[in-house]
Amino acid sequence: MSAHRRKTTTRRRPPSRRRRLVRTLLVTTCALAVMAGGGAWYLYRDLAAGIGSSKALEGAEKSKFGDTNILLIGLDSRRDQNGEELPQEVLDQLHAGSSDIGGYNANTLILLHVPGGGSRAKAFSVPRDDFVDIPGHGKDKIKKAYGLAKARKEEQLAAAGVKDSRELEREGREAGRAAQIATVRAFLGVPVDHFAELNLAGFYHLADALGGVPVCLNKAVKDRYSGADFPAGPQTLDGRQSLAFVRQRHGLDGGDLDRTKRQQAFLAGATKKLNSAGTFTDPVKLVKLIDAAKQDVVTDRGWDLLAFVKQAKNLSGGRVQFTTLPVERFGRNLGEDINVVDDMKIKRLIAEQIGPKASASPGAPGSAGSAGSAAGAREASPPPASSPSPSTPKDGGGIPCVD
């Protein structure tokens, strides 16, 4: 047999123990990476499939230059997404009364502007009683746009023979969302790219999913209407306390206008907690957050919500400037208290803050004077703040303190 033949038939030496160990570790690491990636993808698909989605923004104008405007809508509703009453034990925890209270008013309206260039984000709170033009309805409180359109749509469907309660609720809410977004868009003069809607239970479940939300108060408060009972200083609120915190208006010097600052503080605290709690590296916390979102949150179809939430670290640590839009004076309309606002002043303020001025005629209806006369409004005591009201500079461990 030739040397060449002998060389080709020689058996290879078995790999050393060290080489086998290294290879096993590499294979195991790759397998774990694939499993982790697959788990994250499964969780993402679970969120995308389970969270409520809406067509209310289909065909709407979009922001330019990579900017994003997000409308946060908080409904004063004691019902779930199917229109069913929340369980009594949940209502008891919420300290929010029966399911017949509140209806479908949008008591929280915050426009979050995220610049495409990565500069500081800005959030604008719209007071719920601002007296504005509601497309297809006329002038009324901005919070009513949702409920008015919902009721009108359900009446139309019922007249056409639709009897299924869930279909009526679903289609009614879609009409409500579209109307609320259109009203805010017309009032502020800017596009709305995305929106997120949650009901009262959403504040409760979100806070619990995050393990509590940090806030800071300048002084102690106690209010039997909302259930708010908090000492002064920095503190972490559970779900029940968080809902009381964002709902309180009695006992506050500015009433509803101070409540908007509470909502801003809650949003800032939730964002801070989201980034500090290791939510995206802790599967248990991530699943809990996803479950909370599936219960209470509705967003526009096609919005990559999880990707946006992961960018929330850019919105924390003081990188969001909060402003409450100005009110000219208080008035009355059909026996209800209203905020008389200067529509053109609001549009100019928003345009100066976040982009090109919206096209609008200086003589267009909607000035403070026309709002007051059209409503039959009578001037009341001046509001605590007649100009844009940023959050107080006092600080409680990275969280702005509020009254």
Side-chain angles (χ1 to χ4, degrees):
M1 185 179 294
S2 67
H4 176 74
R5 178 91 177 255
R6 286 196 302 269
K7 185 176 180 180
T8 58
T9 57
T10 302
R11 296 179 62 186
R12 294 181 180 179
R13 295 178 60 186
S16 67
R17 182 178 180 182
R18 182 178 179 181
R19 289 174 61 195
R20 288 198 304 270
L21 178 60
V22 170
R23 185 170 62 185
T24 301
L25 287 174
L26 286 173
V27 171
T28 303
T29 301
C30 291
L32 288 174
V34 171
M35 290 173 64
W41 174 243
Y42 172 79
L43 289 174
Y44 173 77
R45 289 187 61 188
D46 186 48
L47 173 62
I51 197 169
S53 64
S54 166
K55 299 184 291 184
L57 275 176
E58 286 189 357
E61 177 189 359
K62 299 295 183 182
S63 295
K64 299 177 181 179
F65 312 114
D67 293 353
T68 304
N69 292 331
I70 302 163
L71 181 62
L72 307 177
I73 304 174
L75 289 183
D76 191 30
S77 172
R78 281 74 165 165
R79 296 178 179 270
D80 64 19
Q81 293 184 31
N82 295 316
E84 303 292 339
E85 294 184 2
L86 295 173
Q88 188 58 49
E89 58 269 22
V90 175
L91 291 173
D92 291 341
Q93 285 292 320
L94 299 183
H95 202 278
S98 75
S99 60
D100 295 326
I101 300 174
Y104 287 88
N105 288 332
N107 278 356
T108 302
L109 291 167
I110 299 177
L111 184 78
L112 177 63
H113 173 74
V114 184
S119 57
R120 192 180 191 189
K122 297 179 181 181
F124 302 90
S125 288
V126 183
R128 64 176 186 164
D129 290 338
D130 282 3
F131 195 67
V132 305
D133 281 309
I134 298 178
H137 173 76
K139 279 190 170 292
D140 214 323
K141 295 181 180 183
I142 195 168
K143 69 178 182 181
K144 290 186 176 182
Y146 193 114
L148 288 168
K150 178 180 183 295
R152 185 165 56 248
K153 182 66 173 180
E154 289 177 356
E155 289 174 0
Q156 293 171 352
L157 291 174
V162 177
K163 296 181 180 180
D164 183 77
S165 61
R166 291 202 171 191
E167 181 180 353
L168 291 170
E169 182 73 14
R170 182 177 63 253
E171 296 301 322
R173 287 204 179 192
E174 280 290 82
R177 291 165 191 139
Q180 191 66 66
I181 293 167
T183 301
V184 172
R185 184 168 53 221
F187 180 46
L188 303 186
V190 294
V192 174
D193 302 288
H194 298 294
F195 81 93
E197 168 198 307
L198 72 164
N199 60 13
L200 285 178
F203 289 98
Y204 175 86
H205 292 135
L206 174 61
D208 274 357
L210 290 173
V213 172
V215 300
C216 179
L217 285 171
N218 288 322
K219 57 186 178 183
V221 295
K222 189 168 185 177
D223 170 40
R224 67 183 180 88
Y225 295 99
S226 65
D229 186 1
F230 310 121
Q235 53 206 286
T236 299
L237 308 182
D238 63 19
R240 180 184 59 80
Q241 294 170 324
S242 293
L243 184 61
F245 180 79
V246 299
R247 291 183 64 238
Q248 185 187 2
R249 60 187 175 94
H250 296 282
L252 302 180
D253 293 339
D256 264 359
L257 299 185
D258 278 349
R259 176 155 71 170
T260 64
K261 296 180 182 179
R262 297 291 188 89
Q263 296 164 355
Q264 295 166 1
F266 176 86
L267 183 60
T271 303
K272 179 180 176 65
K273 189 62 178 287
L274 185 68
N275 289 296
S276 64
T279 302
F280 297 107
T281 57
D282 186 330
V284 175
K285 291 180 179 178
L286 182 57
V287 168
K288 194 171 184 181
L289 184 62
I290 289 173
D291 285 341
K294 289 194 295 186
Q295 287 184 77
D296 308 302
V297 178
V298 174
T299 68
D300 54 287
R301 186 169 296 176
W303 184 17
D304 191 343
L305 183 62
L306 190 60
F308 176 78
V309 171
K310 285 185 177 181
Q311 297 170 0
K313 60 185 177 182
N314 297 323
L315 308 179
S316 61
R319 286 184 57 81
V320 179
Q321 176 184 323
F322 288 95
T323 300
T324 300
L325 295 180
V327 171
E328 299 303 306
R329 66 179 188 273
F330 297 144
R332 300 278 291 176
N333 177 59
L334 301 178
E336 294 184 330
D337 294 326
I338 62 170
N339 300 332
V340 181
V341 294
D342 185 334
D343 297 42
M344 298 308 301
K345 180 178 179 179
I346 297 292
K347 287 182 173 65
R348 286 194 300 270
L349 184 152
I350 295 293
E352 291 167 359
Q353 290 286 325
I354 68 174
K357 185 176 297 185
S359 58
S361 169
S367 65
S370 64
S373 59
R378 58 182 177 81
E379 188 168 349
S381 301
S386 57
S387 59
S389 174
S391 297
T392 171
K394 294 182 181 180
D395 184 84
I399 296 296
C401 293
V402 294
D403 291 328

